[in-house]
Amino acid sequence: MEQINAVGRRKAAIARVYVSEGNGEITINKRKLEEYFPSPILQFIVKQPLTTLEATEKYNIKVNLIGGGYKGQAEALRLAIARALVKINAEDKSALRKQGFMTRDPRAVERKKPGQPKARKRFQFSKR
């Protein structure tokens, strides 16, 4: 099997993933998963598609992650891994969709409007 690539996005984070056969190593920006995401919750989020398909020890995953915060990056990476796994084997799509890993979360920060301090917040009204 040659290298399979996929992209996942969430908020401002973009994850580019390269999956090849291997022993289950995940490298993010040339660092190990445990080093990049010290929190076990974020490690769990990243590994969710692999554990669903019981493929944690099958593939080596190389990741380029940019933008966003750590939660957004972890969820972008989860989507990218799920998309790559579907490229490898299309029959896995229904199992991943059922868990909600194939859906791109469209929520993002609303832009700031002119004449206001934030997106929805208004300046204090003064009658006099």
Side-chain angles (χ1 to χ4, degrees):
M1 172 189 122
E2 76 285 345
Q3 209 172 41
I4 303 287
N5 58 331
V7 176
R9 292 186 182 89
R10 169 78 173 98
K11 290 181 161 184
I14 301 167
R16 280 191 291 278
V17 163
Y18 304 94
V19 179
S20 56
E21 277 185 25
N23 54 358
E25 247 176 58
I26 300 174
T27 313
I28 305 166
N29 294 350
K30 296 179 181 160
R31 287 162 43 196
K32 288 201 179 329
L33 171 71
E34 291 75 22
E35 195 183 317
Y36 196 88
F37 291 123
S39 160
I41 293 148
L42 295 176
Q43 291 173 27
F44 173 74
I45 288 172
V46 168
K47 291 178 180 175
Q48 275 180 314
L50 295 165
T51 50
T52 304
L53 301 176
E54 291 153 14
T56 42
E57 303 297 312
K58 271 190 186 174
Y59 305 109
N60 281 354
I61 301 171
K62 188 177 158 288
V63 186
N64 291 338
L65 251 179
I66 53 164
Y70 50 85
K71 181 91 158 81
Q73 284 190 345
E75 291 181 5
L77 181 49
R78 178 175 69 183
L79 176 63
I81 290 171
R83 284 178 171 174
L85 291 172
V86 167
K87 276 187 184 178
I88 293 166
N89 186 2
E91 283 110 61
D92 297 336
K93 189 170 187 172
S94 60
L96 292 170
R97 181 165 295 290
K98 205 164 103 182
Q99 296 288 323
F101 304 145
M102 294 304 297
T103 310
R104 198 301 200 190
D105 194 338
R107 295 175 295 174
V109 177
E110 192 174 331
R111 77 177 193 87
K112 181 197 170 297
K113 299 351 176 264
Q116 294 173 205
K118 289 162 81 179
R120 303 253 172 135
K121 188 176 182 174
R122 306 285 199 263
F123 286 117
Q124 186 172 345
F125 175 74
S126 169
K127 200 168 194 176
R128 287 174 193 85

